[in-house]
Amino acid sequence: YGLFEDIKGDHRNYYSFSNLKVMTVSFALGGVMANTEFDQNMQTEYQDNVRSDKTDDFSEFAKDLGEGKYLIPLSLGAAVLGYCLPEDSIVSPIGTWGYNTARAYIVGAPPMLLMQLATGASRPGETSDGSDWSPFEDNNGVSGHSFMGAVPFITLAKMYKDSPVKWLFYGASFLASWSRVNDDDHYISQSALGWVMAYQSVRSVFLTDKQKDSPVSFNVYPEGKDGAGFLVSYSF
């Protein structure tokens, strides 16, 4: 397996029936939130009763966790570093993280950008339509910061899935999403959809790697006395 084969597998898994089923359900729920009073009511409740100077201060840091101008070069640099170092190097997990994060961006960013346009929703206070979907009228129906900021941490969580530390990484994956709601730059549905698209992108990458480790194999064995029959087995 090389980079091209990995990316091809990532796309195959991303556009699989099971993945698209999750995305369909997620966008259906997001559509209900966006096109009813839910988004606006939740936004008003948060802004009036939760947001404070302290949340604003922390949000400045959290927003940077979703800046693509930092994260894309960082993931590519980490991937190159991993390629240049021996596999048994103590810092080799950095390369693995960078490689998998970059692949998740490659497979997930184009559909995320498409769905931003396809939903056509606006930011809070930007238009009189609020969070209502107006296809191709605007490009804020999915939070880009939420997507970009969730991918690196979800990747870490899946890399350390057998350790309790994974829950810290999953928690951190919501920080950029939360910052967009706190700063009144995105509705909850928009931030949530960005996170879901990030999760499904990372899931596709790790599914590709799992399939590489456990390819389907078929074997035929003679069975019975004098080879009178045969046995077919397969494994995943």
Side-chain angles (χ1 to χ4, degrees):
Y1 267 73
L3 175 60
F4 177 76
E5 289 298 322
D6 283 344
I7 292 176
K8 185 167 69 173
D10 298 341
H11 280 81
R12 182 173 58 248
N13 288 317
Y14 188 88
Y15 293 102
S16 66
F17 175 76
S18 61
N19 202 50
L20 292 178
K21 181 170 64 174
V22 172
M23 299 291 281
T24 299
V25 172
S26 298
F27 273 88
L29 292 173
V32 171
M33 295 166 64
N35 293 284
T36 61
E37 296 298 317
F38 180 89
D39 261 353
Q40 186 59 63
N41 289 342
M42 293 298 293
Q43 200 74 7
T44 300
E45 181 70 19
Y46 183 94
Q47 295 298 316
D48 290 347
N49 300 309
V50 180
R51 187 177 182 180
S52 67
D53 290 340
K54 290 183 178 179
T55 64
D56 285 350
D57 289 342
F58 187 69
S59 184
E60 288 185 22
F61 162 75
K63 179 187 175 183
D64 285 342
L65 296 177
E67 290 285 357
K69 63 184 178 183
Y70 304 136
L71 294 169
I72 293 175
L74 180 62
S75 62
L76 292 175
V80 172
L81 178 65
Y83 179 80
C84 297
L85 294 173
E87 289 187 7
D88 58 354
S89 169
I90 192 172
V91 295
S92 62
I94 296 176
T96 302
W97 169 83
Y99 184 57
N100 290 341
T101 298
R103 285 165 55 193
Y105 284 144
I106 290 172
V107 72
M112 185 273 295
L113 293 170
L114 174 62
M115 294 310 296
Q116 285 183 328
L117 288 166
T119 53
S122 300
R123 299 180 187 275
E126 193 173 38
T127 69
S128 59
D129 291 333
S131 61
D132 290 355
W133 287 0
S134 302
F136 301 101
E137 292 295 322
D138 206 337
N139 62 348
N140 292 300
V142 178
S143 170
H145 273 80
S146 178
F147 171 84
M148 298 298 295
V151 165
F153 289 108
I154 297 173
T155 299
L156 283 169
K158 287 191 171 292
M159 286 177 62
Y160 294 94
K161 63 179 181 179
D162 297 325
S163 170
V165 75
K166 70 180 180 181
W167 299 115
L168 292 177
F169 293 134
Y170 275 124
S173 72
F174 288 99
L175 289 177
S177 300
W178 163 79
S179 76
R180 308 311 284 156
V181 175
N182 180 81
D183 296 349
D184 210 21
D185 283 325
H186 276 292
Y187 291 100
I188 289 178
S189 68
Q190 298 167 356
S191 288
L193 288 174
W195 191 93
V196 169
M197 296 195 78
Y199 182 88
Q200 294 303 109
S201 299
V202 176
R203 178 182 176 276
S204 299
V205 168
F206 278 79
L207 187 55
T208 299
D209 290 344
K210 182 179 180 181
Q211 291 165 345
K212 286 191 298 182
D213 294 335
S214 304
V216 178
S217 62
F218 292 87
N219 299 285
V220 180
Y221 303 96
E223 180 75 6
K225 269 191 172 182
D226 303 320
F230 62 88
L231 173 68
V232 179
S233 70
Y234 68 93
S235 60
F236 292 88

